Amino acid sequence: MNININKNLAVLIVRLVIGGVFMATGWMKVSDMAGTIGFFGGLGIAPFLAYIVAYAELIGGVLIVLGLWTEIAAAVLAIVMLFAIYYVRSMGFQGFMAPLAVFAGLVSLLASGAGQYAIRRKS
C-alpha cells in the first residue's frame, strides 16, 4: 500500500513536538535550578551537570524547533536521553518509556535532518 506523506511536513511536526518538549523541560529545570540540582543530587549526579543538562535541553529545544543545527542538537539531546533512561531504569517501563520515546524522536531527526521547513536545511 502506497500512502502519500509529505515527509517535510512530518519532520516539521517531529521537530515541533520534540523541540517543544525540550524547551518546556529545559525551562522548568532552568527556572528552578535549586530544585534541579537537588533532584540530580538525589540521583548521585554532580551539581554542575544539572546546569549543563538544563541549558542543553532549553537551547537544544529551541534549535530543533527552528531547524538550526538540528543534527547537532539532536545528537547532544540523544546522549542526555540515554543517561535519563539509565538513571530511571529502576522505575521499570513506566519510568523510562517517555525518555525512550523522546530518544526515538531524536534518532529520527538525526536520520532525516531538519527537513525543508527549517532555518538551515541539510545540504
Side-chain angles (χ1 to χ4, degrees):
M1 180 155 132
N2 188 8
I3 300 174
N4 265 343
I5 297 175
N6 181 334
K7 292 181 181 175
N8 287 305
L9 182 59
V11 171
L12 175 63
I13 292 168
V14 171
R15 281 192 10 243
L16 293 176
V17 171
I18 297 294
V21 165
F22 279 109
M23 287 171 58
T25 59
W27 179 252
M28 287 188 293
K29 287 176 178 74
V30 167
S31 65
D32 181 18
M33 193 52 75
T36 301
I37 290 169
F39 176 74
F40 276 49
L43 295 172
I45 301 171
F48 80 93
L49 288 174
Y51 287 95
I52 292 172
V53 169
Y55 283 100
E57 287 186 8
L58 181 59
I59 295 166
V62 170
L63 293 174
I64 287 174
V65 165
L66 295 175
L68 186 61
W69 298 307
T70 302
E71 293 90 341
I72 295 168
V76 169
L77 293 174
I79 293 167
V80 170
M81 286 297 94
L82 287 174
F83 279 97
I85 292 165
Y86 174 79
Y87 278 100
V88 299
R89 72 191 186 286
S90 64
M91 297 171 62
F93 186 69
Q94 292 285 44
F96 71 81
M97 72 177 165
L100 183 62
V102 171
F103 175 76
L106 291 165
V107 170
S108 172
L109 289 174
L110 282 169
S112 68
Q116 181 180 357
Y117 309 120
I119 289 179
R120 179 172 169 249
R121 290 181 283 214
K122 190 175 181 179
S123 310

